[in-house]
Amino acid sequence: MTSQQFGDELLRHWQLLWPLPASERIKRIDEIRQDLEFEEQLSLVSTEMANPEFA
């Protein structure tokens, strides 16, 4: 995921969370950011593990 895609995804979530109070919105967007970063790391690990060099 590029930085632009990451930012776009966070913006999309932010817009969906807009009706919530600011403190709740910030808390949830931080959780979503952490989830997206974790998913990206899992994807990178999966790619490396599929590398025949490590088989």
Side-chain angles (χ1 to χ4, degrees), residues 13-29:
H13 285 286
W14 183 263
Q15 290 169 335
L16 292 172
L17 296 170
W18 190 249
L20 296 175
S23 60
E24 184 65 22
R25 204 168 47 238
I26 291 167
K27 178 183 166 204
R28 292 220 188 151
I29 205 72

Side-chain angles (χ1 to χ4, degrees), residues 27-40:
K27 178 183 166 204
R28 292 220 188 151
I29 205 72
D30 190 48
E31 290 170 352
I32 292 166
R33 180 191 54 78
Q34 290 173 0
D35 288 346
L36 290 172
E37 289 173 348
F38 182 73
E39 288 175 16
E40 183 69 17

Side-chain angles (χ1 to χ4, degrees), residues 34-51:
Q34 290 173 0
D35 288 346
L36 290 172
E37 289 173 348
F38 182 73
E39 288 175 16
E40 183 69 17
Q41 289 297 317
L42 283 179
S43 175
L44 292 172
V45 168
S46 179
T47 301
E48 284 298 317
M49 294 301 289
N51 186 340

